[in-house]
Amino acid sequence: MADAALRLTTLAEELLGAPLPVRIRAWDGSESGPPGTPVLVIRHRRALRRLLWKPGELGLARAWVAGEIDVDGDLYAALDLLAGLIWERDDPAELKKARLPLLDPKLRAAARGLLDIGGLLPPPPPPAEEIRRRRGPIHTKRRDQQAISHHYDVGNDFYELVLGPSMVYSCAYWAEDSTLETAQRDKLDLVCRKLDLKEGMRLLDVGCGWGSMAIHAAREYGARVTGVTLSREQAAYARKRIAEEGLTDRIEIRVQDYRDVKDGPYDAISSIGMAEHVGSVRYREYADDLFALLKPGGRLLNHQIGRRPERDESAYEIDAFIDAYVFPDGELSPVGRTVELLEEAGFEARDVEMLREHYALTLREWVANLEARWAEAVRLTSPGRARIWRLYMAASALAFEKNRIGVNQVLAVKTPESGASGLPRRARDWR
């Protein structure tokens, strides 16, 4: 088909009601759109059929993962330009209408245009990396186990490549002269200081990952740590690291749901990048369980990604791409709701620190690690999995930079009846 790019550009601009901010290069070699901008490469007309059968983000995600669309040029710039045109439009009603193309004449015409260019064939099967249809209630123990396995059990070697030697999968804490490794060390140390860890104290690390927090708390502060994770690959890796550090007498790593931990009380609890998996239907249970596991006066440090509040909270939906390919069943809540639920469970919230710019820097470092060793990443996982991670991390970096999402450390205390919180009068004296 001659000049497919021009036809696609015209169709997109009619649909969006605005000039397309990126250039398009189609499978026939044709190009159209503003020069000097990132190029959206459509390698195969199959990508159009995906959009016909799954209009919106999921259709685009499937085409990206399958390698049918790509970006030639600065990925961050391309995502920023496209986000401003599509995902950040002011009228939520228009966005919802875009998911119902048969109900809108303009969108019906666009569908006919895609059909003419892409051809009518059966829907392409989803890429192998997409999580299959899930059944049953959300956030049961079994379903959470499956979701965690989908995200984390993709190979420790792959995570080493992306995260670097620290193996910390949460935002680092950046100073002006930090490297990724020193910034991750500083974040772990900040958590330990906020928890006021001392020699011999019992620490529960919920969602312990590859053991970095447990190792730091035991080695640097003399804590006795229990770490729990649902990922068997994470647990095996963490136990190996702990043995190499000579800390097996201070750290126990369990493959266990946090809801099954019954050996409290603990002096302190850290939950770093785990509560995003809990879900709104279980969050109060999560808060209640952690409250019950702490001794009176014990501290919780909850480090969690949050989103901006919706005007109508009932309109919140899990991101289709993230749900299908990255964090199945993951949910984000506004930080105010997180604090509210922790306090409903009995905690006293003593400090909230916002770190969103820190996460943007961290994600850009992870993307750079992935891109620098792209061939190895593909070999360790699959081309589709590597593409998922590149898109998800780059888009997330922009989301943090644009204040669409944030990350927050909430320090909460199980304050005893006496009212003595054990914290200093002046906030953040742990610095």
Side-chain angles (χ1 to χ4, degrees):
M1 176 179 293
D3 213 11
L6 179 59
R7 296 186 65 189
L8 288 170
T9 301
T10 302
L11 182 63
E13 292 181 346
E14 288 176 355
L15 178 61
L16 296 169
L20 198 64
V22 297
R23 193 165 178 81
I24 287 181
R25 181 186 305 142
W27 57 90
D28 63 352
S30 62
E31 291 194 19
S32 178
T37 64
V39 180
L40 182 63
V41 182
I42 304 174
R43 300 190 187 281
H44 200 288
R45 67 177 69 195
R46 189 183 303 112
L48 307 184
R49 294 198 289 272
R50 292 193 189 277
L51 282 171
L52 278 169
W53 289 98
K54 275 290 180 185
E57 187 174 339
L58 187 55
L60 285 168
R62 287 175 171 175
W64 173 271
V65 175
E68 296 156 3
I69 61 174
D70 205 344
V71 168
D72 184 0
D74 188 323
L75 178 60
Y76 293 104
L79 290 174
D80 195 22
L81 290 167
L82 291 170
L85 191 63
I86 301 173
W87 293 291
E88 296 173 22
R89 302 180 83 180
D90 292 333
D91 186 358
E94 286 298 314
L95 294 178
K96 285 196 171 184
K97 191 165 61 176
R99 299 178 187 139
L100 300 169
L102 297 180
L103 302 182
D104 181 81
K106 184 194 296 185
L107 294 170
R108 282 204 305 271
R112 286 194 295 270
L114 286 176
L115 180 64
D116 183 44
I117 303 171
L120 178 60
L121 288 173
E129 292 81 4
E130 183 171 316
I131 192 167
R132 298 314 181 206
R133 180 181 293 276
R134 290 150 284 169
R135 300 184 184 278
I138 196 169
H139 294 299
T140 61
K141 291 179 182 179
R142 180 178 181 182
R143 185 155 160 170
D144 282 352
Q145 172 72 62
Q146 293 170 342
I148 293 298
S149 179
H150 175 85
H151 186 71
Y152 292 103
D153 293 339
V154 298
N156 292 326
D157 290 344
F158 175 75
Y159 276 100
E160 280 186 337
L161 182 152
V162 173
L163 303 180
S166 71
M167 288 299 280
V168 178
Y169 187 32
S170 56
C171 86
Y173 192 60
W174 294 86
E176 290 299 323
D177 58 348
S178 292
T179 65
L180 178 60
E181 294 310 305
T182 61
Q184 289 292 16
R185 180 201 64 205
D186 289 348
K187 189 274 299 299
L188 296 176
D189 208 63
L190 177 66
V191 172
C192 291
R193 296 199 306 276
K194 287 183 176 183
L195 290 172
D196 196 27
L197 293 183
K198 299 288 194 301
E199 181 78 28
M201 289 177 64
R202 294 189 75 206
L203 170 68
L204 175 64
D205 187 25
V206 181
C208 65
W210 293 272
S212 299
M213 174 63 191
I215 290 170
H216 189 86
R219 184 182 59 210
E220 304 299 329
Y221 289 85
R224 308 189 71 84
V225 187
T226 299
V228 296
T229 175
L230 292 178
S231 168
R232 295 188 180 277
E233 288 195 20
Q234 283 187 334
Y237 187 98
R239 289 167 183 152
K240 182 175 182 293
R241 292 178 72 194
I242 290 161
E244 291 171 349
E245 290 275 351
L247 294 170
T248 53
D249 61 329
R250 288 187 171 271
I251 305 172
E252 177 189 8
I253 301 295
R254 305 174 186 167
V255 178
Q256 186 178 36
D257 193 290
Y258 72 92
R259 289 163 282 194
D260 294 328
V261 178
K262 305 297 182 186
D263 61 345
Y266 286 87
D267 299 290
I269 298 176
S270 55
S271 179
I272 305 173
M274 178 272 177
E276 298 89 337
H277 297 289
V278 171
S280 58
V281 298
R282 296 286 185 185
Y283 203 94
R284 175 58 192 274
E285 178 184 353
Y286 161 82
D288 287 340
D289 286 348
L290 299 192
F291 186 82
L293 286 165
L294 271 176
K295 73 173 189 179
R299 300 184 188 183
L300 164 69
L301 192 287
N302 189 76
H303 176 116
Q304 179 179 346
I305 298 172
R307 60 175 170 84
R308 302 293 299 171
E310 301 275 357
R311 292 177 185 174
D312 175 10
E313 277 294 312
S314 66
Y316 170 68
E317 295 180 355
I318 300 172
D319 181 274
F321 167 62
I322 298 293
D323 189 47
Y325 288 101
V326 186
F327 290 108
D329 296 336
E331 296 179 56
L332 303 183
S333 295
V335 64
R337 182 57 179 153
T338 297
V339 171
E340 181 180 29
L341 286 166
L342 290 172
E343 293 215 312
E344 285 178 6
F347 284 104
E348 180 189 7
R350 294 293 304 218
D351 185 79
V352 181
E353 185 171 6
M354 314 301 196
L355 301 173
R356 69 175 176 85
E357 294 91 348
H358 294 261
Y359 218 155
L361 289 169
T362 306
L363 282 156
R364 284 182 177 264
E365 289 291 319
W366 290 345
V367 171
N369 286 345
L370 176 62
E371 291 178 341
R373 299 170 65 184
W374 183 258
E376 187 178 355
V378 168
R379 178 180 60 80
L380 289 171
T381 54
S382 69
R385 182 74 66 183
R387 290 173 64 79
I388 289 166
W389 276 73
R390 183 172 179 240
L391 177 62
Y392 134 68
M393 293 192 298
S396 296
L398 287 172
F400 282 107
E401 289 167 358
K402 300 292 184 179
N403 192 28
R404 295 196 293 272
I405 56 175
V407 62
N408 318 293
Q409 287 192 352
V410 179
L411 179 65
V413 181
K414 185 175 180 175
T415 304
E417 291 185 5
S418 68
S421 70
L423 272 83
R425 293 188 186 92
R426 297 185 65 181
R428 301 184 182 170
D429 275 6
W430 48 77
R431 291 182 187 279

